[in-house]
Structure formats: structure tokens, C-alpha cells
Amino acid sequence: MGDNEMSVFGVSEAEEEIYRHFLRNPGTTTDHLHLLLHTTPASARTHVERLQKLGLLHPEEPDLRIFPTDPEIAVAHLIDLRLHALHQEFQRVTRSRHVIDGLRAEQNTRKPPAAGIEQLEGLAQIRNRIDDLAFFAREEILSVEPYTKLSPENIARSRPLDLRCLRRGVKIRNVVIRDALRDPATAAYLKELAGHGAMIRVTERGAERLLVYDRKAALVPLDPHDTSRGALLAHRSGLVCNIIALFEKIWDQAADLAQAEGEAEEAPDDRLSETEHRVLVSMCSVGKDEAGARELGVSVRTYRRYVAELMQTLGAASRAHAALLARERGWI
């Protein structure tokens, strides 16, 4: 016998030899097959029966002569079976994360988490859990993403998971803020997702990040203004339902991506977004950042980031300079 090339699909060396035998001799019987394998008739029958279960061989009436399945069809079927087995194994592995909780309980160093709520610590753990939730999503993913742009690394990381979900028929509804459309790479990626079936809407106002998977698990940041501090993953139906209700409210108030893109194309290049205009007015009329942040309904840190981005857009060296340049352009 030669090398067992089909072992990667879980086909034994003897089974591969039998399959190759019937490729060379289709329509023959299994009467003397055990002689070819140097084994017993019972062992040969066992191998043939398994190949029939795998779909590689099929007997035909009335004399049960054996015919092989076309190699291209056979290998494609074996690939599907193998991937399904690997997927089930991956599920078992990822679901074994509860082992960590059990081991931590032995330390008695912290109180157990509230039932149905899990606290994730650090960006790495959050990203890993998001990857797991997206990988196993079967029906729907809801998300509100308040980013103003996605880095090339973020896009490269997200694209395979997003497209895989869409290919599997998972329904994706995503809300982003209008400022995200100002970044060409981010806008192109959102348009790509929409082209593959994702439903994307655009909101004018900043919103807190949230993710919901199959209406069973919801992820929200521990601190909306500093996502690196961690996140809460809720499984309790009451909490998840409330988060879904918040999403639906944001979704209903948002505009379709195509409509938002059309408005952006019609607008002049130097047109301010609604958020930028509100920040600009606040800069010129309010003395302290705390008061400006309250007017916009955001944190002081977020308000200062908006101010810095606006000054960069204007090319201003100071806030006073930014106000002067804005007046020259007719923005205020």
C-alpha cells in the first residue's frame, strides 16, 4: 500500500486502498477483497460498510456490485464531514472556558459573579469573547458602534468574521455614527458589508457601544468612556431584553446607510457634521469644558477629543484661532 493521503479526512489506510481498488475496478463485488488487504472477510466487510456510511462507495441491486463515488464529490463530502467534526470540537473547547471559573473559585479570592452576568477584563479577553460569540451566532447580531474610524488592523480582524456570519445567513444590523463615513476606509468597509447583506444605519448622535448575539447574550462596556476597563456580558433574559429595546430605539431613529451616503455626497466638502457644529458652537459660547460636555451630553474626555479633532480639521493652533477660522468659513 502507498501513502495514506486520505488520512486527513479520517479515512484509514485500508479504507483508502479499498476505495482506490473500486475506482480501478468499478462494478465488482467484495468477494475476494480480504485477499487484497491480507485480512479477514469480516474485517474487509467492516471497512466497506464504513466507506458506504462515508458516501465513498455504494452497492447496486440486484447482485450488490460496488461502485465508487466520483473523487471530486467524495472529497468534497469528506471535507464537509471533517469541518463539521472540527467545528463541534472547537465548540467543546471554547465552551470549556467555564473551567477557568471553577479553578478561580478554588482560590477564594473574589466573590462569585452575579448569576447571568460575566465581567470581562482587558481588551484581549473582550476581543476573544466577541470572536467566540460571533463565531457561534446562528440567527442575528445587533450592534451599535460609536467609532469615528476603523484602523486597517480592525478591518482586517473584523472582515473574516463578519463575512462568515453573513454567508451562514446570520442577520446583521449595525448602527454607526455619521462621522465614521468621513473616513474613506471605514466607509468602504461598511459599504462592503452592506453589499453582502448587512443592514447598516447611521445615527447623528453619539451612542454607547452595545452588542447582542441571537437575542441571548448582550455585551456592554463597563465604562462607556473607557472601553479598556472591561465589559459586562449579560445572559439573563431581562437584562438582554432591555438592551435590545435600547438598540431598537437607536435603530428606529437612525437613517439607512445609502441615504446617509447620498447626503454626504450632496454636502460640500467642508460641511461640518452635526456633532462638530454643536462642539464648535459650544467652544465659542461656553467657558468651561465641563459645561460644554453637559450641553452635548457626553463626558469631558469625549468633549475634549471632539474639540481636538475639530481644531485639527480647521488647522487651528488654539481654540480662539479655531473660532476665528470657523467664522471666516461661515460655519458659525
Side-chain angles (χ1 to χ4, degrees), residues 124-174:
Q125 187 181 16
I126 294 171
R127 287 171 179 165
N128 288 338
R129 186 53 60 89
I130 287 174
D131 288 350
D132 289 348
L133 291 167
F135 187 89
F136 293 114
R138 288 293 175 267
E139 298 176 4
E140 183 180 51
I141 298 176
L142 312 177
S143 65
V144 177
E145 304 278 6
Y147 53 73
T148 56
K149 65 180 296 186
L150 288 172
S151 68
E153 293 76 17
N154 282 335
I155 293 174
R157 178 186 178 86
S158 301
R159 178 181 280 114
L161 277 173
D162 289 339
L163 295 182
R164 181 181 181 278
C165 287
L166 292 169
R167 284 195 297 268
R168 293 202 326 265
V170 177
K171 183 179 179 181
I172 291 181
R173 287 197 286 158
N174 184 16

Side-chain angles (χ1 to χ4, degrees), residues 24-292:
R24 296 189 297 266
N25 306 280
T28 56
T29 67
T30 61
D31 292 344
H32 304 292
L33 193 59
H34 62 286
L35 300 177
L36 173 68
L37 300 176
H38 304 289
T39 186
T40 64
S43 178
R45 283 195 300 273
T46 299
H47 290 316
V48 170
E49 288 172 359
R50 184 165 187 272
L51 288 170
Q52 290 177 15
K53 289 182 180 179
L54 290 174
L56 272 67
L57 299 178
H58 52 91
E60 293 189 3
E61 300 288 352
D63 50 1
L64 298 181
R65 293 182 179 274
I66 303 295
F67 289 86
T69 302
D70 180 83
E72 185 173 350
I73 297 174
V75 170
H77 182 60
L78 288 174
I79 290 173
D80 286 342
L81 292 174
R82 185 60 175 156
L83 288 176
H84 178 70
L86 290 172
H87 184 209
Q88 290 184 317
E89 181 66 18
F90 185 76
Q91 284 183 310
R92 287 193 291 271
V93 172
T94 55
R95 288 173 180 171
S96 67
R97 291 176 182 270
H98 67 276
V99 174
I100 298 175
D101 295 331
L103 295 174
R104 280 181 173 169
E106 299 294 334
Q107 294 179 311
N108 294 318
T109 58
R110 65 165 65 185
K111 295 180 180 179
I117 303 176
E118 180 182 359
Q119 182 171 333
L120 308 179
E121 300 176 353
L123 290 176
Q125 187 181 16
I126 294 171
R127 287 171 179 165
N128 288 338
R129 186 53 60 89
I130 287 174
D131 288 350
D132 289 348
L133 291 167
F135 187 89
F136 293 114
R138 288 293 175 267
E139 298 176 4
E140 183 180 51
I141 298 176
L142 312 177
S143 65
V144 177
E145 304 278 6
Y147 53 73
T148 56
K149 65 180 296 186
L150 288 172
S151 68
E153 293 76 17
N154 282 335
I155 293 174
R157 178 186 178 86
S158 301
R159 178 181 280 114
L161 277 173
D162 289 339
L163 295 182
R164 181 181 181 278
C165 287
L166 292 169
R167 284 195 297 268
R168 293 202 326 265
V170 177
K171 183 179 179 181
I172 291 181
R173 287 197 286 158
N174 184 16
V175 179
V176 300
I177 61 174
R178 185 176 293 275
D179 289 351
L181 301 183
R182 298 167 66 88
D183 178 65
T186 302
Y189 178 57
L190 294 173
K191 190 173 182 180
E192 176 186 358
L193 292 182
H196 283 84
M199 291 176 286
I200 298 176
R201 289 191 176 183
V202 180
T203 181
E204 298 287 351
R205 295 179 296 176
E208 310 298 352
R209 188 181 194 201
L210 62 88
L211 296 162
V212 182
Y213 298 88
D214 287 340
R215 297 181 173 261
K216 296 177 182 178
L219 189 75
V220 295
L222 193 62
D223 180 351
H225 308 301
D226 184 4
T227 55
S228 64
R229 290 189 56 191
L232 295 177
L233 179 60
H235 298 280
R236 286 199 291 192
S237 59
L239 291 174
V240 175
C241 286
N242 286 332
I243 293 172
I244 292 173
L246 174 59
F247 170 84
E248 296 294 355
K249 181 179 179 180
I250 296 171
W251 177 264
D252 289 342
Q253 295 174 349
D256 289 333
L257 177 63
Q259 177 185 344
E261 286 182 323
E263 292 172 355
E265 290 174 359
E266 293 172 3
D269 292 340
D270 62 351
R271 180 180 175 181
L272 290 177
S273 68
E274 180 181 340
T275 299
E276 288 175 323
H277 186 264
R278 292 175 64 199
V279 172
L280 183 57
V281 172
S282 179
M283 282 174 53
C284 297
S285 60
V286 178
K288 294 185 177 180
D289 288 350
E290 289 77 5

